[in-house]
Amino acid sequence: MAKEEWSIADFEIGRFLGEGRYGRVYLAREKQSGYVVALKVIFKAKLEKYQSHAKIRREIEIQHGLNHSNVLRLYAWFHDETRVFLVLEYAARGELYELLSSLHRFSEKRAATYIASLAEALTYCHGKHVIHRDIKPENLLLDIEGRLKIADFGSAVKSISKRQTMCGTTDYLAPEVVENKEHDHAVDNWTVGILCYEFLYGIPPFSDEDEQVTFQRILNVDLKFPSKPEVSAKAKDFISKLLVKDSSKRLSIEEILTHPWIVQNADPSGKLQV
Ligand code: N15
């Protein structure tokens, strides 16, 4: 599947997969090769309401330049009069979040494997100066082999996603984001700590019905490890070294990958069956 100019006529459209940033995502098949993809449809009218085409174009180009086994591929894009289409990698096992909901929590092996895959993806992206800033279970997908894929690099876009971030996912915000201070890729490392806790305990560490309480718990790093479910001392050590208020003192990505809990538990293939 390599071609200069694509059009919607090249694809058979299948079932609706979900609502992504800016648009709807459908299962699709490229007619010539039979290759199965996820096709995202974005209405230009909707884009105009929020931001310039140039900005979206830049974002597409960033995403298009990324090629890593733990980053969901953007294979191609094209447009017609009214719509922009993104030809994305199809992740057959769907959202990691769904798996976490059905299993309630992950084993240490499963948690460490996903965290290591996430760290590999972040190493790659940080190396290309792409900061994610919106890692959350909903943006993590699983391919047919059970490999983790980061689906959405919303780095350059602020206007629409900001509000959603502020009302939907308070749980994942780093202290420096809550305080509206300058921040860098250490924000992603904080989020790795939040996700790891959520994988092992089934709920994020600072959650509260009252968002203001969550903000306070984040700012105070009010981290508690319940006695049930039982989690190993090494896993708690790992989480404690990521959920550190001073961003310069958090484990670096390299230190994540060499921490004893990761080394001893992560499956090196990154592939896990359910
Ligand atoms: C502006 C631009 C550069 C953004 C580019 N990035 C994205 O559009 C990121 N994005 C990826 N937004 C949506 C998706 C997406 C890709 C959503 C869902 C899927 C996807 N690939 N595969 C799926 C998928 N597989 C599933 C299997 C079972 C149930 C649901 C599934 N969704």
Side-chain angles (χ1 to χ4, degrees):
M1 226 189 54
K3 194 168 166 180
E4 284 294 310
E5 291 293 327
W6 291 102
S7 90
I8 192 64
D10 294 312
F11 297 88
E12 278 166 27
I13 309 301
R15 75 178 181 99
F16 173 67
L17 290 175
E19 198 86 37
R21 215 156 35 90
Y22 311 124
R24 302 185 131 216
V25 185
Y26 297 88
L27 190 63
R29 178 192 274 123
E30 199 275 312
K31 289 175 184 171
Q32 290 270 309
S33 64
Y35 201 89
V36 173
V37 296
L39 192 71
K40 186 167 186 170
V41 185
I42 301 168
F43 283 91
K44 288 180 175 175
K46 229 178 187 175
L47 283 183
E48 260 148 21
K49 247 172 96 177
Y50 296 107
Q51 54 216 112
S52 73
H53 282 98
K55 216 169 170 182
I56 294 293
R57 201 187 184 107
R58 198 171 59 234
E59 217 195 321
I60 288 171
E61 271 154 15
I62 291 171
Q63 172 115 11
H64 201 192
L66 300 177
N67 185 359
H68 185 274
S69 60
N70 297 115
V71 179
L72 195 90
R73 287 288 304 277
L74 173 64
Y75 296 120
W77 68 285
F78 54 90
H79 60 108
D80 64 15
E81 283 282 293
T82 56
R83 300 162 295 183
V84 177
F85 299 92
L86 303 181
V87 185
L88 294 153
E89 181 177 354
Y90 173 56
R93 293 195 188 273
E95 287 184 12
L96 180 77
Y97 183 76
E98 291 291 326
L99 183 63
L100 183 59
S101 301
S102 71
L103 297 176
H104 303 292
R105 57 180 181 267
F106 294 154
S107 67
E108 300 211 7
K109 176 189 159 76
R110 184 175 291 277
T113 302
Y114 292 147
I115 295 294
S117 298
L118 190 55
E120 304 270 10
L122 292 176
T123 304
Y124 174 80
C125 293
H126 290 173
K128 296 215 161 205
H129 308 287
V130 178
I131 305 173
H132 194 291
R133 278 197 249 160
D134 201 17
I135 305 163
K136 49 186 175 180
E138 294 87 336
N139 282 340
L140 303 175
L141 298 173
L142 297 170
D143 72 7
I144 189 78
E145 295 184 299
R147 209 187 267 115
L148 175 138
K149 305 272 175 177
I150 305 188
D152 202 341
F153 272 84
S155 54
V157 173
K158 289 184 188 129
S159 62
I160 343 171
S161 58
K162 202 174 203 174
R163 251 183 59 84
Q164 284 173 354
T165 304
M166 290 311 283
C167 48
T169 57
T170 316
D171 282 321
Y172 301 92
L173 301 180
E176 61 271 30
V177 180
V178 172
E179 288 184 315
N180 233 326
K181 288 185 183 158
E182 270 192 38
H183 51 269
D184 57 13
H185 58 73
V187 166
D188 288 341
N189 302 35
W190 171 275
T191 314
V192 171
I194 300 283
L195 273 176
C196 189
Y197 186 106
E198 188 173 14
F199 287 171
L200 295 170
Y201 289 95
I203 50 161
F206 308 119
S207 69
D208 194 282
E209 288 158 35
D210 183 346
E211 195 173 63
Q212 290 309 315
V213 174
T214 300
F215 284 139
Q216 263 320 308
R217 293 194 64 198
I218 292 168
L219 293 176
N220 299 336
V221 196
D222 178 20
L223 180 62
K224 296 181 188 120
F225 295 109
S227 54
K228 282 271 157 72
E230 264 179 51
V231 167
S232 71
K234 282 201 176 86
K236 291 179 205 170
D237 178 81
F238 178 72
I239 293 165
S240 305
K241 286 174 174 162
L242 285 164
L243 300 180
V244 174
K245 183 148 177 171
D246 180 346
S247 65
S248 71
K249 299 209 165 76
R250 288 174 203 152
L251 289 185
S252 66
I253 298 281
E254 299 74 47
E255 289 166 331
I256 288 175
L257 289 165
T258 56
H259 188 280
W261 181 69
I262 293 290
V263 172
Q264 285 164 27
N265 290 283
D267 186 322
S269 78
K271 300 174 192 170
L272 280 182
Q273 294 309 318
V274 181

